[in-house]
Amino acid sequence: MKQYLILLLLLSSLWAGNTIDTIIPKPQKIIANKGSFHIDRSTGCQSDTALSKNALTYLQSHLLKSSGFVLKASQKEKSIHFHYNPKRVKRAEGYHLQIDHKKILIEARDSAGFFYGVITLMQLMDPAIWGGKIGKKEWTIPACTIEDYPRFQWRGMLLDCSRNYFSKAYVKKFIDRMAQQKLNRFHWHLTDDEGWRIEIKRYPKLTKIGARRGPGTKLPFSTYPAMRGPKTNIQSGYYTQSDIREIVAYAKARSVEILPEIDVPGHSKAAVTAYPELLLDPEDKSRYRSVQRVANNTINPGLESSYQFLDGVISEVSRLFPFGYIHLGGDEVPRGAWQKSPAIQKLMRRRGLKSRREVQNYFFGRMDKILARHGKKLAAWQEVLDGKPKLRKSSLIMAWKNRQAGIDAAKKGYPTVMAPVQFLYFDQQYVRSKSEPGHTWSSPVSLHKTYAFHPLSRSSGNSTRNIRGVQACLWSETLLNERIADYLAWPRVFALAEVAWSNEEVREWNNFEQRVYRSGMKRLKVQHIHYRKSR
Ligand code: ACM
């Protein structure tokens, strides 16, 4: 009898463990308690702070969509309480969640903390809460105590909307799904060789010419991936300034900041095709191709008109995006660019510049000053640190070639984000196979590989505090439709989120994999996200 009781106890505690072990990313501290709380149409809610507004709106809209009711503001016992408590919750974006049979208490010190408290609460509910289809009338939530906060401040995802255009609706879905995993930086790659996707009122040809692909348009139709994709116009499109304001507000309601990227001076075929008279030296006889094989795609830093143009672009971009940084690319300026440009030769003589590298440093020095005038800081790919750049020390560096590049940038004193291709480029195949979508130019990035990424190492030493976080990149050369984008993102975004949020001590692969397959994927399924199922 005694043995039987012990077995029963063991089983029930295991079962309780399972019902709370649904959360991705893993909370820093979670304790299962006895009992559960039930939400139904008689449940109330109360708050003593305006900081809970986004969180409450998010919860209410999901309850309305999946149950047809919302929580009524009430003082009664059986309710969900939002309480401003900076004494208990010490860290930015952190929250404290207490669930027992009578009450749910969510405490935080900022808007993001309340939002993440609600995300965790919803991950403890039946996955149907994410589905948006009316069905369930009552929700059972296991009693527990959770103390949680992010390991890193920068938890990002890049979506490349240039190589292939994604609709406003998809961009919103992408941001919402990020927020569901407590990711908080959407890096929006808006311009590249294959398309300029942001309306700039001063320069209408950027979108009139630079956002259109396919037969009869000025952008070379052969630009990747039109060559591989169906010969239709699916890659055409851009975001109006009003679209962008809408998306920025949508992201803000989910605690996501948007980092816009205008990729210069390389990766600029769309811009130089729209405005050759401003951005190219007519006397330049250089002929070159980028690593992606795009011919003559680079803005000329020897022309004053290039700086005037970029000043105009940045003035509009900086007013559209409230975030403090603008990303100006700086990656992969092709060898051979400007070699035979008289304007560059003149610039080099006048400024005493000795190499192409010094020309690029000069260009970014000026871009940094232009950004400063518009009240913004520079973000850029790691290449801007080659040579001797003159950049403000606040400039944010993104390391993509390998982890060491990030450690080096941090050691030089720059805030740094780790986005190494070997772990965090989600455009790469999961496994090497002809039947898998995705790029093959780097090594495959399995779910396990992403999870095994450790952003900090002993060798980063005192510079560790400069490593602000991690980011995955979804480049879109091969993303011919939303299904492929979904497939390459999911489930790898789960691993990214846990690397970004959870301390090393609480991370464990087997437990993570179970949460992904038992819970995370159910949440994707009800949202009709086309994720990769095989292990
Ligand atoms: C990059 O992948 N060129 C940043």
Side-chain angles (χ1 to χ4, degrees):
M1 185 64 189
K2 204 170 150 200
Q3 275 158 336
Y4 182 67
L5 257 175
I6 288 171
L7 187 69
L8 207 69
L9 265 173
L10 200 73
L11 277 175
S12 67
S13 70
L14 266 180
W15 188 76
N18 273 343
T19 57
I20 60 165
D21 206 15
T22 55
I23 304 160
I24 305 172
K26 183 91 170 174
Q28 309 296 9
K29 198 166 162 198
I30 174 163
I31 300 165
N33 300 327
K34 275 213 205 75
S36 51
F37 184 91
H38 300 276
I39 296 180
D40 58 29
R41 59 173 63 245
S42 73
T43 309
C45 68
Q46 49 189 285
S47 173
D48 59 17
T49 169
L51 293 170
S52 66
K53 184 170 167 279
N54 287 343
L56 194 51
T57 305
Y58 197 78
L59 177 61
Q60 295 284 42
S61 75
H62 280 81
L63 280 172
L64 186 63
K65 274 191 255 170
S66 47
S67 281
F69 67 78
V70 291
L71 309 167
K72 286 161 206 66
S74 79
Q75 295 298 319
K76 66 181 172 197
E77 268 282 274
K78 200 176 150 289
S79 63
I80 303 180
H81 298 238
F82 293 85
H83 176 44
Y84 175 66
N85 193 348
K87 284 216 180 82
R88 162 113 71 171
V89 180
K90 299 276 189 235
R91 299 183 206 230
E93 303 182 88
Y95 65 94
H96 190 272
L97 175 63
Q98 177 80 44
I99 302 173
D100 61 37
H101 70 284
K102 280 203 306 224
K103 175 173 164 181
I104 291 178
L105 173 63
I106 302 176
E107 293 170 299
R109 60 183 302 134
D110 52 28
S111 174
F114 285 109
F115 185 77
Y116 296 140
V118 156
I119 291 290
T120 292
L121 176 66
M122 288 171 63
Q123 290 195 357
L124 288 165
M125 294 164 73
D126 188 286
I129 189 69
W130 301 97
K133 212 167 79 195
I134 293 207
K136 271 185 87 65
K137 298 291 180 207
E138 187 184 296
W139 307 85
T140 303
I141 305 163
C144 60
T145 307
I146 295 176
E147 227 182 276
D148 203 10
Y149 57 87
R151 180 182 187 198
F152 290 110
Q153 181 184 52
W154 191 287
R155 306 181 300 279
M157 272 291 292
L158 173 149
L159 180 65
D160 173 3
C161 292
S162 170
R163 271 58 176 275
N164 269 304
Y165 172 76
F166 291 95
S167 69
K168 179 172 72 175
Y170 187 77
V171 171
K172 282 185 173 175
K173 276 195 237 175
F174 193 89
I175 291 169
D176 183 57
R177 294 162 184 181
M178 282 177 60
Q180 291 177 26
Q181 323 312 323
K182 305 188 176 90
L183 296 172
N184 67 348
R185 299 283 184 265
F186 176 56
H187 179 163
W188 201 358
H189 189 74
L190 284 162
T191 75
D192 212 301
D193 295 317
E194 292 87 342
W196 183 284
R197 308 300 187 188
I198 169 174
E199 176 188 27
I200 301 294
K201 305 246 191 226
R202 235 168 281 209
Y203 298 110
K205 283 193 282 182
L206 283 173
T207 41
K208 196 158 183 264
I209 292 171
R212 297 187 56 220
R213 296 251 296 279
T217 61
K218 285 200 182 169
L219 276 185
F221 182 51
S222 60
T223 45
Y224 218 44
M227 242 164 54
R228 292 203 208 167
K231 295 213 184 311
T232 62
N233 258 357
I234 59 157
Q235 300 96 345
S236 296
Y238 66 93
Y239 311 97
T240 65
Q241 297 203 349
S242 135
D243 290 339
I244 287 171
R245 282 189 204 96
E246 187 183 325
I247 290 170
V248 166
Y250 182 90
K252 184 162 191 276
R254 287 157 179 76
S255 282
V256 174
E257 297 276 10
I258 302 185
L259 172 71
E261 181 181 354
I262 306 296
D263 196 351
V264 292
H267 286 279
S268 292
K269 188 73 184 178
V272 303
T273 304
Y275 287 99
E277 68 279 19
L278 301 178
L279 306 175
L280 297 179
D281 174 3
E283 311 291 325
D284 186 358
K285 299 275 188 300
S286 323
R287 293 289 171 264
Y288 57 90
R289 282 182 186 276
S290 70
V291 286
Q292 288 86 8
R293 312 296 305 148
V294 180
N296 307 325
N297 69 342
T298 304
I299 289 174
N300 191 307
L303 306 170
E304 277 312 297
S305 53
S306 295
Y307 299 97
Q308 279 157 16
F309 167 87
L310 288 167
D311 190 33
V313 169
I314 287 167
S315 93
E316 294 190 29
V317 173
S318 53
R319 272 181 274 125
L320 284 170
F321 293 94
F323 193 44
Y325 285 95
I326 293 179
H327 198 300
L328 292 182
D331 56 323
E332 299 180 319
V333 175
R335 253 174 233 284
W338 327 312
Q339 226 162 33
K340 298 176 183 162
S341 158
I344 290 289
Q345 284 148 14
K346 207 160 125 198
L347 173 77
M348 291 175 82
R349 275 198 306 277
R350 213 171 53 231
R351 303 273 167 188
L353 309 174
K354 307 232 159 27
S355 63
R356 198 173 60 91
R357 172 61 48 215
E358 288 185 14
V359 171
Q360 178 157 346
N361 291 157
Y362 168 81
F363 173 79
F364 270 97
R366 281 190 69 175
M367 294 318 299
D368 191 34
K369 288 203 176 78
I370 292 173
L371 284 174
R373 269 214 320 282
H374 292 286
K376 298 289 183 184
K377 290 184 272 194
L378 172 74
W381 299 110
Q382 65 179 78
E383 286 98 320
V384 298
L385 289 191
D386 298 346
K388 290 200 176 69
K390 284 205 191 95
L391 304 174
R392 283 173 292 171
K393 272 288 174 332
S394 59
S395 302
L396 183 82
I397 304 301
M398 288 196 176
W400 65 276
K401 292 190 182 183
N402 49 54
R403 192 176 73 152
Q404 189 56 43
I407 294 171
D408 294 345
K411 281 190 173 154
K412 287 180 187 162
Y414 294 96
T416 300
V417 172
M418 291 283 195
V421 51
Q422 299 83 1
F423 300 90
L424 295 176
Y425 266 31
F426 293 172
D427 59 335
Q428 301 298 318
Q429 286 185 331
Y430 285 88
V431 290
R432 193 60 81 238
S433 161
K434 281 208 165 49
S435 60
E436 286 281 335
H439 265 316
T440 53
W441 60 263
S442 181
S443 48
V445 178
S446 65
L447 181 65
H448 183 268
K449 187 85 191 278
T450 299
Y451 197 73
F453 180 54
H454 298 285
L456 306 180
S457 72
R458 245 169 289 215
S459 74
S460 41
N462 285 340
S463 59
T464 290
R465 69 193 151 77
N466 290 331
I467 295 173
R468 299 296 158 85
V470 292
Q471 175 171 300
C473 297
L474 196 51
W475 301 103
S476 65
E477 289 101 324
T478 70
L479 309 188
L480 294 169
N481 57 52
E482 294 171 3
R483 275 173 71 81
I484 299 177
D486 281 357
Y487 182 94
L488 287 173
W490 300 97
R492 287 187 285 206
V493 180
F494 289 136
L496 165 74
E498 196 144 310
V499 170
W501 180 279
S502 311
N503 287 339
E504 298 274 344
E505 304 84 76
V506 301
R507 289 222 265 135
E508 201 268 313
W509 164 253
N510 290 317
N511 171 263
F512 168 75
E513 200 189 23
Q514 274 182 17
R515 271 178 290 125
V516 166
Y517 281 83
R518 284 195 195 148
S519 307
M521 285 184 178
K522 285 194 186 128
R523 297 193 282 266
L524 300 181
K525 195 166 176 198
V526 294
Q527 296 179 77
H528 308 291
I529 296 171
H530 180 64
Y531 59 95
R532 184 174 190 270
K533 298 182 180 68
S534 39
R535 284 187 199 238

